[in-house]
């Protein structure tokens, strides 16, 4: 029986109020004993210090922290220092990403793709780190074609990835089709679905249009029809996401990774409804 992995993702807060809010969120979510908390890393490393501070605080509280490491705009020396810092603090899990190219950035740095970052981590630290990579069941919005994206993903995995976390999606068929296609390419690492709770339709629609996550037409129309009725949006969102998680786990997904947006409410309700 495969062990399932459950995790929660945060972004580094930028204000004292944000730091306090995240501490409260963490306290609430820690009761579910997740395998780890991951912390994002801004485009071009804009929130690098915030990521480090948040990760070290999580680790000091006795939880497993998994910092995101984005290679765009980074040098080998810069990545090496971060890896050494994390290893010295007994951090054993890294989320290795290419990262978004900030507008106006001319030099992408010494790494161009995530597979190069994964290779570098393995060359420097062997098997010390459990290396997570990103997967896009509906394909990366910047990929030339769907087949190119599948090949890119396989390349990252063969470079030494331990497991993958997907971009969020609302269509489970997209996830299962993706898993089958990469298996055909020789990839057999666990691919954990990324889950985005629905709290705010406008924000979610903006995120989804940027990252290429399809909102099913019926769902988009129904959420739009609720207008400013926040309670109805959240109620429908809880039903839709709980059902999605249930279908994924029943069909054998190796866990769930929740994009919390630094809030605990919706995630806690979904977790309890699933009986995890």
């Amino acid at each position: 029986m495969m062990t399932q992995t459950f995790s929660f993702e945060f972004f580094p807060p930028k204000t004292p109020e944000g730091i306090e809010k995240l501490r409260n969120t963490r306290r609430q979510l820690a009761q579910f004993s997740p395998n780890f908390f991951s912390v994002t890393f801004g485009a071009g490393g804009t929130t690098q210090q915030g990521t480090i501070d948040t990760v070290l605080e999580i680790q000091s509280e006795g939880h497993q922290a998994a910092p995101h490491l984005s290679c765009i705009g980074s040098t080998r020396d810069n990545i090496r220092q971060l890896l050494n810092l994390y290893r010295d603090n007994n951090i054993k899990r890294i989320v290795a990403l290419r990262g978004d190219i900030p507008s106006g950035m001319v030099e992408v740095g010494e790494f161009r793709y995530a597979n190069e970052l994964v290779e570098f981590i393995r060359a420097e630290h062997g098997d010390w780190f459990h290396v997570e990579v990103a997967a896009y069941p509906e394909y990366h919005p910047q990929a030339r074609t769907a087949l190119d994206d599948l090949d890119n993903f396989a390349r990252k995995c063969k470079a030494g990835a331990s497991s993958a976390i997907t971009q969020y999606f609302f269509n489970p068929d997209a996830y299962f089709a993706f898993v089958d296609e990469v298996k055909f390419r020789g990839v057999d690492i666990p691919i954990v679905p990324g889950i985005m709770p629905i709290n705010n339709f406008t924000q979610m629609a903006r995120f989804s249009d940027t990252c290429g996550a399809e909102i099913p037409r019926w769902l988009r129309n129904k959420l739009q029809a609720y207008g400013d009725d926040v309670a109805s949006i959240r109620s429908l969102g809880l039903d839709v996401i709980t059902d999605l998680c249930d279908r994924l786990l029943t069909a054998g997904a190796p866990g769930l990774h929740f994009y919390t947006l630094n809030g605990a409410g919706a995630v806690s309700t979904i977790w309890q409804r699933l009986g995890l």
Side-chain angles (χ1 to χ4, degrees):
M1 179 71 181
M2 176 187 59
T3 310
Q4 291 177 315
T5 301
F6 295 96
S7 49
F8 301 116
E9 182 164 302
F10 306 132
F11 59 84
K14 291 186 171 145
T15 63
E17 299 76 33
I19 290 169
E20 206 43 56
K21 180 192 172 191
L22 181 54
R23 283 177 185 146
N24 288 330
T25 295
R26 231 166 31 237
R27 274 194 288 275
Q28 283 177 266
L29 296 178
Q31 66 184 322
F32 302 130
S33 305
N35 295 82
F36 63 93
F37 293 118
S38 71
V39 184
T40 63
F41 189 82
T46 49
T47 57
Q48 187 172 303
Q49 192 57 48
T51 304
I52 294 167
D53 294 344
T54 308
V55 159
L56 295 183
E57 185 172 312
I58 290 170
Q59 201 76 4
S60 74
E61 293 166 351
H63 308 301
Q64 274 293 317
H68 285 213
L69 202 51
S70 152
C71 61
I72 286 292
S74 291
T75 63
R76 279 177 157 67
D77 280 348
N78 170 240
I79 296 288
R80 185 178 285 119
Q81 283 171 10
L82 280 171
L83 291 171
N84 289 340
L85 171 72
Y86 291 143
R87 183 166 179 164
D88 289 346
N89 284 278
N90 206 35
I91 285 162
K92 299 225 165 142
R93 195 179 282 261
I94 296 281
V95 183
L97 308 164
R98 186 198 72 165
D100 298 323
I101 301 174
S103 59
M105 180 181 271
V106 181
E107 283 297 314
V108 294
E110 292 181 32
F111 301 93
R112 292 186 59 208
Y113 302 108
N115 64 294
E116 296 171 1
L117 177 58
V118 174
E119 281 167 8
F120 182 75
I121 294 169
R122 290 295 178 225
E124 293 276 312
H125 291 280
D127 289 335
W128 171 267
F129 291 109
H130 180 110
V131 180
E132 301 272 5
V133 292
Y136 294 85
E138 295 168 312
Y139 312 117
H140 195 287
Q142 292 167 352
R144 279 191 312 229
T145 69
L147 295 180
D148 277 352
D149 198 45
L150 290 164
D151 291 339
N152 287 340
F153 179 70
R155 206 171 296 124
K156 278 193 291 201
C157 296
K158 287 167 186 172
S162 315
S163 56
I165 297 168
T166 77
Q167 177 59 271
Y168 71 87
F169 56 88
F170 301 106
N171 176 0
D173 291 340
Y175 168 79
F176 291 116
F178 179 85
V179 170
D180 287 345
E181 295 218 52
V182 298
K183 269 196 183 132
F184 177 72
R185 283 168 167 74
V187 172
D188 63 354
I189 62 171
I191 300 173
V192 175
I195 303 296
M196 177 71 83
I198 301 171
N199 281 316
N200 175 321
F201 172 66
T202 314
Q203 181 188 50
M204 187 192 76
R206 192 175 67 244
F207 281 169
S208 302
D209 293 341
T210 305
C211 71
E214 183 190 26
I215 303 172
R217 186 180 171 86
W218 71 268
L219 180 57
R220 188 183 279 265
N221 287 347
K222 200 161 180 188
L223 289 167
Q224 271 175 334
Y226 285 136
D228 295 330
D229 180 356
V230 175
S232 294
I233 289 171
R234 288 188 178 163
S235 174
L236 176 63
L238 287 169
D239 290 346
V240 167
I241 300 302
T242 303
D243 179 61
L244 172 65
C245 293
D246 190 43
R247 288 168 71 184
L248 289 165
L249 293 173
T250 301
L256 299 169
H257 178 78
F258 289 94
Y259 297 106
T260 69
L261 302 181
N262 290 12
V267 177
S268 300
T269 305
I270 293 162
W271 186 280
Q272 283 156 349
R273 284 188 182 189
L274 291 167
L276 293 172

